[in-house]
Amino acid sequence: SKSMKRKGFDSKTFVIESYASNKRENWDFILSDKYTILPYFLKPYVAFLESLLKFDVFFIPCSGFFIGHTNLNFFQSIFFRLAKKKVVVIPYGSDAFIYRKIRSTSLIHALQVSYPQYSKEQDKIEKNVNYWCKNADAVIPCFIGLEGFGRWDVLIPSPLFIDKDSWKMKSFRNFKNGENGKVNIVHFPNHKGFKGTEFIYEAIENLKKEGLNVELKIYQNISNDDVKNILQNEADILIDQIIFTGYAMNALEGMSTGLPTLCNLEDENYCLPFRRWSYLNECPIVSASPENLQFTLKKLIKNPNLRKKIGQESRKYIEKYHDLDSAHYLFSNIIDYIHENKSNIINLYHPLSSKYSKRLPKINNPYTKNS
């Protein structure tokens, strides 16, 4: 929303509830704050109708827009079409994971550890996914699209973006190597099973037994401002998640501050399309799984210059593909596409043909396939 506003679009964010740990001003509208004279059960219908009258393009999850949890769920596309509105679907996770269709059995298990309730709602979730794959004007599912969607209009590793001006590079780097001083590792699990937190604990404890001076700090339920301060001033390495293949917002935050950031990019069944037809080969994230995390961390801990190099390239990656100007590039192309000003945008980031991907030097990733 912020990127589109900067480019002259009238863009608003409208959510049902906000996270208590974050600032209210992160969102334009929150359903619980609006229509105070109405009983709550009427608010979704009024919000849907008012938005239909005010806005032209809707970016929504697979669960729909406000009335997705009502009996009118499968009438949404009819209402949008009758009002001559356009719909772009960008899933976030629990709205789109159909557990029985997930390729990775490890991910199925991790999801059931952290989100067991959705294993009982697979039919409902699948109906929503199928409905929007058929009826949306565009579907932008990133890695989740490989889990039973069968449709993506842009092949992009992540449709998430960050204000690089608000997330500064670290002003100080720790050049200790675990032998001549301590190396600090941070981890922010929203749900520990999904992120593989228990394996992170184990790897750190094993490294300590080897004699390395390393400390793991885990933070939960803190504000974005606190996350920013920790990454810029306390961390030497960020471990985001080591189960799910892909990366999300916490990884962008780590890379924005110039930290070597660990995520799981091990499974080429998922990664290969994004390497071949998009920009994942430039991504300087360090790939790690529960099985190789200890070895991967040890290499980073003992090589502070490698940490610095990865951190510098990580910041460049954010500036090239995940800042607010990059958001405008993606969303303005999507808007052109859904209004039929472009025939397709599926190869928007093709490494051989995309002028956008070639506008800046290729990221000098120290790793091959992120490991």
Side-chain angles (χ1 to χ4, degrees):
S1 179
K2 187 175 180 180
S3 69
M4 301 306 280
K5 288 176 182 176
R6 288 197 333 184
K7 300 294 184 178
F9 288 84
D10 180 14
S11 178
K12 303 292 183 183
T13 53
F14 200 166
V15 298
I16 294 176
E17 296 291 346
S18 66
Y19 290 106
S21 59
N22 287 313
K23 295 178 180 178
R24 166 62 183 83
E25 57 265 29
N26 287 346
W27 298 271
D28 295 302
F29 304 120
I30 298 176
L31 189 62
S32 56
D33 293 350
K34 287 181 69 70
Y35 322 118
T36 53
I37 63 172
L38 292 176
Y40 191 85
F41 78 92
L42 288 176
K43 289 186 178 185
Y45 300 96
V46 176
F48 185 91
L49 179 60
E50 182 185 12
S51 300
L52 209 60
L53 295 171
K54 283 186 174 181
F55 303 109
D56 301 309
V57 179
F58 292 78
F59 291 84
I60 67 171
C62 291
S63 51
F65 185 69
F66 286 122
I67 60 172
H69 298 290
T70 74
N71 291 332
L72 295 177
N73 182 24
F74 294 113
F75 291 92
Q76 288 182 85
S77 69
I78 296 173
F79 297 148
F80 283 123
R81 258 196 307 273
L82 288 173
K84 297 182 179 179
K85 309 300 182 181
K86 301 293 185 180
V87 179
V88 180
V89 170
I90 304 178
Y92 62 87
S94 62
D95 64 318
F97 277 127
I98 307 158
Y99 289 10
R100 62 175 170 262
K101 289 195 171 183
I102 293 174
R103 296 167 184 264
S104 167
T105 51
S106 293
L107 177 57
I108 296 173
H109 180 78
L111 284 167
Q112 291 189 91
V113 170
S114 292
Y115 309 98
Q117 67 273 30
Y118 298 114
S119 66
K120 302 175 183 178
E121 299 179 19
Q122 294 180 71
D123 290 344
K124 175 184 174 182
I125 295 168
E126 184 172 19
K127 285 180 181 178
N128 286 336
V129 169
N130 291 341
Y131 179 79
W132 287 115
C133 280
K134 179 180 179 180
N135 293 297
D137 296 285
V139 179
I140 319 294
C142 60
F143 278 93
I144 299 175
L146 304 182
E147 309 288 20
F149 270 66
R151 178 188 176 185
W152 45 86
D153 292 87
V154 177
L155 192 68
I156 183 172
S158 173
L160 300 176
F161 300 92
I162 194 166
D163 184 354
K164 70 177 188 297
D165 295 329
S166 295
W167 292 76
K168 305 294 184 182
M169 277 276 285
K170 294 175 68 68
S171 57
F172 169 80
R173 288 197 181 273
N174 175 16
F175 283 92
K176 304 301 182 183
N177 63 13
E179 295 176 351
N180 59 9
K182 184 169 66 176
V183 176
N184 295 300
I185 298 171
V186 297
H187 176 55
F188 300 88
N190 44 4
H191 290 280
K192 294 180 178 180
F194 180 72
K195 289 205 168 188
T197 302
E198 71 270 31
F199 299 107
I200 297 171
Y201 276 123
E202 180 193 39
I204 297 298
E205 289 305 308
N206 287 339
L207 289 170
K208 287 180 178 178
K209 290 175 183 177
E210 291 184 17
L212 287 177
N213 187 354
V214 58
E215 182 176 359
L216 174 66
K217 297 181 180 179
I218 292 184
Y219 301 93
Q220 290 182 278
N221 301 318
I222 62 175
S223 70
N224 284 344
D225 287 341
D226 288 336
V227 171
K228 188 182 300 182
N229 178 62
I230 291 164
L231 293 178
Q232 290 177 339
N233 300 308
E234 298 181 24
D236 302 313
I237 298 169
L238 168 67
I239 306 176
D240 181 11
Q241 53 79 26
I242 57 170
I243 303 293
F244 168 70
T245 300
Y247 63 89
M249 200 67 207
N250 189 218
L252 299 190
E253 292 167 344
M255 289 191 286
S256 294
T257 55
L259 281 174
T261 300
L262 278 66
C263 294
N264 189 322
L265 294 175
E266 300 286 298
D267 192 338
E268 284 300 295
N269 285 315
Y270 290 90
C271 294
L272 182 58
F274 298 98
R275 298 193 193 284
R276 184 175 287 168
W277 288 291
S278 193
Y279 53 77
L280 188 62
N281 266 342
E282 292 188 61
C283 180
I285 283 175
V286 180
S287 182
S289 67
E291 289 71 36
N292 65 24
L293 178 61
Q294 183 177 333
F295 172 82
T296 302
L297 276 176
K298 188 174 182 179
K299 184 176 179 180
L300 288 172
I301 291 165
K302 300 187 77 170
N303 290 274
N305 287 322
L306 178 61
R307 297 200 302 267
K308 178 182 177 182
K309 173 65 175 174
I310 294 170
Q312 290 171 334
E313 297 305 309
S314 295
R315 175 69 185 194
K316 292 177 185 176
Y317 182 76
I318 294 297
E319 292 170 348
K320 186 172 181 180
Y321 290 117
H322 284 287
D323 73 341
L324 297 186
D325 287 337
S326 301
H328 175 258
Y329 174 75
L330 173 64
F331 293 122
S332 61
N333 271 278
I334 292 172
I335 290 169
D336 282 344
Y337 169 63
I338 62 180
H339 286 107
E340 300 182 354
N341 296 324
K342 290 191 172 187
S343 59
N344 72 76
I345 50 175
I346 196 163
N347 283 328
L348 197 62
Y349 298 98
H350 196 299
L352 300 182
S353 59
S354 169
K355 292 181 180 179
Y356 188 80
S357 295
K358 293 180 179 180
R359 80 195 189 285
L360 292 171
K362 190 174 181 180
I363 306 302
N364 186 14
N365 188 348
Y367 288 96
T368 300
K369 294 184 178 180
N370 303 95
S371 60

